[in-house]
Amino acid sequence: MSCWHAALGKNTLRTGDAVDRAAAMDAVLGEGRHAVRATEGAAVEDMAYVKIGDELGNVSGFIDLNLGSDELRARIEKACARMHERTAALEGATQTSSPPVVAPPVLSSTPAGSVTEPWDRIEQWLGAHLPEVTIIGASVGSIERAVEATEVTGPQELVDLFGHIGGFPRDAWVQLFPVHELFDLDRMVDERRLELEVWGELDEDAGAEPLAGSAAGEAVETFVSEFVPFAGRDGNLLFVDTRPGSRYGCVTEFDKVGAEDVGPRWVSISALLAELADSLEHGTVFDGCWAPTVADGRLEWHYQQ
């Protein structure tokens, strides 16, 4: 299991072996309780990623002393079941009858606009349906420091987004996107640095020549410094493409296996947010196949064929 250590700016990780699943669950409960406290008073966020064998879920409650082991165990089981459902939906989206044919993602027709207008709609919807969610924008200073750390100027829409929402607190976390987690500024900087290191090493091992002169939206089959990720999970990212060109500022999905070879998904962050706001308000599908619902006080997404 792992949880975010705010003071260190990285995840704390606990791993181990067990003779069976029951023993593994007991180990997760013990190690999870320990991981969120063994920090000498430094801030650790309560939401943790738990993996038991091939099962994965994100769970809150390890830090709550009033939460019994049976209830925490039930939360883990429920979180793993939800993740299994989401994974099965994704796998189902890539399989059809013989022969298998999967249409690649296409650029959304939603036009660019203002970040503020669709975000206000999203915030109003969250306030009406998930009233316990706290939404706080990042400070101007923290945004400036993050932009400086990425060594990338703009785009303004990314700055505007973080001005409205600096990430969700772990005790009121929201699955704002179907398969990606919205980053805060620290995660944005850290994920970008990590991807540059990993893909840089892969390119070096493969003997790939340094890339130069590509335009926004063009596939380069690697992670370059002009990509700024703002959401993701497990190496699969949504990033803003800040390379020059007519598609400057477009949003592309980066896959840890296929890189960004499917091409841009939205022309801008504002276009993505506008489509998201429409989906939440009217129950229409987002990103071509995901329908929103609210269950047990949480926003959930279900795959629609």
Side-chain angles (χ1 to χ4, degrees):
M1 60 83 63
S2 65
C3 56
W4 184 250
H5 192 310
L8 297 178
K10 65 179 183 180
N11 282 318
T12 59
L13 180 67
R14 296 287 190 276
T15 61
D17 298 317
V19 295
D20 54 30
R21 190 179 185 281
M25 179 67 77
D26 290 339
V28 166
L29 293 174
E31 290 298 325
R33 297 282 198 188
H34 182 264
V36 298
R37 290 184 175 79
T39 57
E40 298 180 353
V44 172
E45 297 189 11
D46 185 34
M47 186 67 72
Y49 287 98
V50 172
K51 186 174 184 181
I52 302 175
D54 294 329
E55 300 176 80
L56 178 68
N58 51 303
V59 186
S60 65
F62 284 99
I63 206 168
D64 185 358
L65 293 176
N66 295 317
L67 192 66
S69 294
D70 289 343
E71 186 174 353
L72 184 54
R73 183 181 285 104
R75 288 194 182 189
I76 295 172
E77 296 286 10
K78 188 173 183 179
C80 289
R82 282 176 172 164
M83 186 62 71
H84 176 74
E85 177 187 353
R86 184 173 293 117
T87 301
L90 284 171
E91 291 175 350
T94 63
Q95 297 176 1
T96 61
S97 58
S98 299
V101 177
V102 179
V106 297
L107 182 66
S108 170
S109 61
T110 307
S114 162
V115 166
T116 299
E117 189 275 332
W119 179 258
D120 285 347
R121 293 164 56 199
I122 292 168
E123 187 170 354
Q124 289 175 11
W125 187 92
L126 292 173
H129 294 83
L130 306 174
E132 295 183 0
V133 173
T134 300
I135 298 176
I136 301 176
S139 67
V140 173
S142 61
I143 294 174
E144 290 177 346
R145 288 190 293 272
V147 170
E148 182 179 358
T150 63
E151 301 178 337
V152 173
T153 302
Q156 185 60 43
E157 287 197 353
L158 186 61
V159 173
D160 293 343
L161 173 63
F162 282 112
H164 289 294
I165 175 70
F168 291 107
R170 287 293 179 177
D171 58 353
W173 181 76
V174 177
Q175 182 71 43
L176 190 63
F177 303 120
V179 293
H180 299 93
E181 178 183 353
L182 180 67
F183 292 159
D184 60 18
L185 289 168
D186 291 337
R187 287 285 301 279
M188 178 189 75
V189 173
D190 289 343
E191 291 285 347
R192 177 180 172 275
R193 182 184 299 117
L194 175 63
E195 296 299 328
L196 286 173
E197 291 176 356
V198 169
W199 284 86
E201 291 177 0
L202 291 173
D203 291 342
E204 183 177 355
D205 292 343
E209 296 293 330
L211 295 167
S214 59
E218 292 182 3
V220 290
E221 299 182 352
T222 188
F223 196 94
V224 297
S225 60
E226 293 89 348
F227 295 172
V228 184
F230 63 92
R233 177 180 293 154
D234 191 26
N236 298 315
L237 310 168
L238 290 178
F239 71 85
V240 181
D241 194 339
T242 68
R243 290 175 294 173
S246 60
R247 287 186 169 175
Y248 169 81
C250 65
V251 175
T252 299
E253 186 170 2
F254 191 93
D255 181 86
K256 61 184 177 183
V257 176
E260 54 8 316
D261 55 3
V262 299
R265 297 291 294 111
W266 292 271
V267 296
S268 68
I269 289 178
S270 60
L272 179 154
L273 294 177
E275 184 177 320
L276 178 62
D278 288 342
S279 176
L280 294 175
E281 289 178 341
H282 306 298
T284 54
V285 295
F286 172 74
D287 197 12
C289 61
W290 294 100
T293 60
V294 175
D296 299 327
R298 297 171 67 93
L299 172 61
E300 296 184 349
W301 295 91
H302 297 277
Y303 176 75
Q304 303 292 301
Q305 292 196 357

